[in-house]
Amino acid sequence: MQYEVIIGLEVHAQLNTDSKVFSDSPSKFGAAPNSQVSSVCLGLPGSLPVLNEDALTKAIMAGLAFGSDITLHTKFDRKNYFYPDLPKGYQISQFDRPICAGGKISFTVKGEDKPRFVNLTRIHIEEDAGKLIHSADPKIPQSYVDLNRAGTPLIEIVSEPDMRSSDEAYYYLLALKSVLRYIRVSDCNMEEGSLRCDANVSIRPVGSDKFGTRVEIKNLNSFKAVKAAIDYEVEWQKDMYTQGKTFPQQTKLWDSASNVTQTMRTKEMSHDYRYFPDPDLPPVILTKETVESIRKTLPELPDARRDRFVEKLGLPKYDAEVLTAEREIADYYESALKVSGDAKKTSNWVKDEVLGIVNKESITISEFKVTPERIGGLVKLIADGKISGKIGKTVFEEMLSTDKDPETIVTEKNLIVVRDDKEIERIVDEAIAANEDAVQKYKSGKDRALGAIVGYVMKVSKGKADPNLVNQMLLDKLGPLPPKG
């Protein structure tokens, strides 16, 4: 039997506020255990939560970026469950009136040109729980509680079950992460836990309109893990149905060491959490004017910026996708372009030379030592014909180890392109005499042979000869390429 895969994702993104969502405790990553807590985080009697306005604003920004409707009259609810890292015995979340409703995320699967879309159900605000740290020694069956993370503001982005493959889920997550980082509401660092994903997976016979039994997979700490867990779960469910077996709706954990999903518990339903409005937090009433003022703070989003790079700057789609993957990279490119004035040459230098080093050294482009203005100046020298591309790479190497601008390096090292016709003609004549075999191949119709002669000239001139002038002189002396045959 052929099956159709049904996937929905629940993504938890920590908002990068200075303090927690309902208290003034700091929310920085990496502090000593239980050093960033308050009476609210600890759930002490009499402690009262106060909503962090910055968290509310950033949640609205996320909703606007994804095209959601903003709920003008919203509230917070208590989600009741008992776990060691939840000292209050409940989590403050949103149940029936989430801050954002609807919306969609567009993405392109590798190798395809046409974008795909996944609809969003909701985006709501909630507080994070603490973290359990289990003993690594099996002889010491103990767990330790770190409440530093308790109360950190989260937005949960819930998709409709619109995805039909693990590839779609993977590229959906990449697009979601890109937007959140563009609008700078979350750093989306999965290694630090600031972006976490749960996948809801089911299958059904092709042509059926009924959903199969759903399994929720937790503990997915990388996009690669999301893809692998979905693929494993799909095959497991197919095997169960093929054997005529059924299974209950349940929650599973992903074991990255064994590459399998393992049952943790049967799935709770919403009524199991006994939601009710939090009596300590007043409703949040917004105006349309407030929402529109937040909308005006949004930057140009990645899809729009990519399209502008293609349509206005004339860049190939691939270049535009690479340059707009991260807001900081796009900003770097545009700053360099303001100086160089050449969109394509600047793109080549940023995506190949600059990002080549950034990726090799595992740094961010903000940490890259050469400013975009200096890169733009280097590209301008090449575009204006003052240095060759080969000389440009020599200058670039010097820029990596000094703070000198490219013009200074070119002047100090006497790297300006030679346009002395007599000097270049002398080297061209020398090249023709020294490359008789290449000359004969060219005259027999092999155009690639001309490259060997040009290469000789550039070597003798140490890359300083004007390549356009060299090519023109060779054509004048050797004549046009004869027709083949």
Side-chain angles (χ1 to χ4, degrees):
M1 183 178 292
Q2 296 296 312
Y3 290 97
E4 180 182 34
V5 180
I6 311 296
I7 302 166
L9 298 181
E10 300 172 8
V11 176
H12 292 82
Q14 284 186 356
L15 300 176
N16 53 6
T17 56
D18 292 331
S19 57
K20 296 184 179 179
V21 64
F22 297 117
S23 77
D24 59 1
S25 300
S27 57
K28 300 300 181 185
F29 178 80
N34 296 306
S35 63
Q36 300 192 142
V37 296
S38 66
S39 59
V40 175
C41 307
L42 296 171
L44 298 182
S47 58
L48 293 175
V50 177
L51 177 61
N52 183 334
E53 185 178 358
D54 191 31
L56 178 66
T57 298
K58 289 184 174 181
I60 294 171
M61 288 176 67
L64 294 173
F66 293 126
S68 305
D69 294 325
I70 306 303
T71 305
L72 298 181
H73 188 173
T74 186
K75 64 181 176 66
F76 289 93
D77 302 277
R78 291 187 180 182
K79 179 181 181 181
N80 297 273
Y81 65 95
F82 300 96
Y83 208 66
D85 61 7
L86 193 70
K88 297 194 298 288
Y90 63 86
Q91 177 188 35
I92 301 177
S93 182
Q94 293 189 294
F95 179 50
D96 57 331
R97 298 191 68 83
I99 186 64
C100 310
K104 64 182 178 181
I105 294 177
S106 66
F107 59 93
T108 304
V109 174
K110 187 176 182 179
E112 297 182 357
D113 292 326
K114 188 176 180 181
R116 302 189 186 190
F117 298 91
V118 168
N119 293 303
L120 299 181
T121 306
R122 57 189 281 153
I123 301 174
H124 63 262
I125 304 170
E126 62 186 21
E127 61 178 345
D128 209 344
K131 184 177 181 180
L132 286 179
I133 302 170
H134 305 291
S135 172
D137 187 346
K139 296 179 181 179
I140 305 176
Q142 294 180 340
S143 295
Y144 305 90
V145 182
D146 180 6
L147 294 176
N148 277 349
R149 198 172 69 181
T152 299
L154 296 176
I155 50 172
E156 181 174 350
I157 304 169
V158 183
S159 83
E160 290 289 309
D162 289 348
M163 286 162 269
R164 296 295 178 265
S165 70
S166 62
D167 279 341
E168 285 194 0
Y170 178 84
Y171 288 103
Y172 165 91
L173 288 172
L174 285 180
L176 181 151
K177 176 182 176 181
S178 178
V179 171
L180 292 181
R181 286 176 59 87
Y182 250 77
I183 62 176
R184 293 175 177 164
V185 301
S186 175
D187 60 23
C188 297
N189 190 331
M190 296 192 85
E191 293 180 354
E192 295 182 359
S194 59
L195 188 72
R196 307 194 292 274
C197 178
D198 301 334
N200 293 290
V201 183
S202 65
I203 62 174
R204 65 186 178 190
V206 171
S208 173
D209 58 357
K210 295 182 179 179
F211 289 111
T213 302
R214 175 166 56 91
V215 170
E216 181 181 25
I217 311 170
K218 291 184 174 292
N219 197 31
L220 301 173
N221 56 9
S222 72
F223 292 174
K224 182 180 178 181
V226 172
K227 192 175 186 306
I230 290 172
D231 287 338
Y232 176 86
E233 181 61 29
V234 167
E235 292 305 313
W236 181 84
Q237 292 186 21
K238 286 181 180 178
D239 186 55
M240 292 291 287
Y241 287 137
T242 300
Q243 296 179 54
K245 297 180 180 179
T246 60
F247 52 91
Q249 183 173 316
Q250 59 192 279
T251 298
K252 289 186 173 183
L253 292 177
W254 171 243
D255 185 337
S256 58
S258 303
N259 287 324
V260 298
T261 55
Q262 298 179 336
T263 299
M264 181 172 68
R265 61 175 181 263
T266 56
K267 176 64 179 173
E268 300 96 337
M269 305 300 287
S270 61
H271 61 262
D272 293 316
Y273 292 117
R274 296 177 291 114
Y275 282 100
F276 64 86
D278 192 301
D280 293 333
L281 286 163
V284 177
I285 300 175
L286 302 169
T287 65
K288 291 181 179 179
E289 291 74 20
T290 298
V291 173
E292 289 307 308
S293 68
I294 295 173
R295 190 192 303 274
K296 291 176 182 177
T297 67
L298 290 177
E300 184 180 28
L301 297 176
D303 284 356
R305 204 167 194 181
R306 181 200 62 219
D307 293 345
R308 176 169 63 83
F309 281 10
V310 172
E311 296 166 8
K312 302 293 185 182
L313 301 181
L315 293 181
K317 185 179 178 183
Y318 173 78
D319 289 33
E321 287 175 345
V322 171
L323 295 173
T324 58
E326 295 282 349
R327 180 176 172 182
E328 289 74 16
I329 295 173
D331 289 346
Y332 187 101
Y333 167 75
E334 294 215 74
S335 294
L337 178 58
K338 286 180 181 178
V339 179
S340 73
D342 190 307
K344 179 55 180 166
K345 280 187 170 63
T346 305
S347 170
N348 291 343
W349 273 87
V350 172
K351 70 182 179 64
D352 297 334
E353 305 301 330
V354 174
L355 293 185
I357 293 174
V358 166
N359 294 331
K360 181 180 179 181
E361 297 184 358
S362 298
I363 59 175
T364 66
I365 199 163
S366 302
E367 297 169 317
F368 183 62
K369 61 184 65 175
V370 182
T371 65
E373 290 75 19
R374 292 171 71 204
I375 288 293
L378 176 61
V379 174
K380 183 171 175 56
L381 289 173
I382 298 170
D384 291 346
K386 293 182 178 179
I387 61 173
S388 65
K390 183 177 180 180
I391 291 294
K393 293 193 176 182
T394 301
V395 175
F396 181 63
E397 290 296 323
E398 182 82 7
M399 291 166 65
L400 290 173
S401 58
T402 73
D403 292 330
K404 296 177 181 178
D405 60 71
E407 294 85 353
T408 300
I409 296 171
V410 167
T411 301
E412 289 180 351
K413 294 184 174 293
N414 191 26
L415 298 174
I416 294 290
V417 164
V418 175
R419 290 196 174 85
D420 184 331
D421 289 13
K422 290 184 178 180
E423 176 62 16
I424 293 178
E425 186 174 13
R426 182 189 67 76
I427 301 174
V428 166
D429 288 339
E430 179 185 327
I432 291 173
N435 293 274
E436 292 182 3
D437 185 55
V439 170
Q440 291 305 315
K441 287 180 179 179
Y442 174 78
K443 289 184 175 180
S444 66
K446 297 180 179 179
D447 57 344
R448 291 186 179 180
L450 192 66
I453 308 173
V454 173
Y456 183 95
V457 176
M458 300 310 291
K459 181 179 180 180
V460 171
S461 69
K462 297 181 179 179
K464 291 162 59 176
D466 184 342
N468 293 326
L469 186 55
V470 171
N471 275 281
Q472 187 57 53
M473 282 189 177
L474 283 171
L475 292 175
D476 290 343
K477 291 178 180 293
L478 300 178
L481 185 73
K484 293 182 180 181

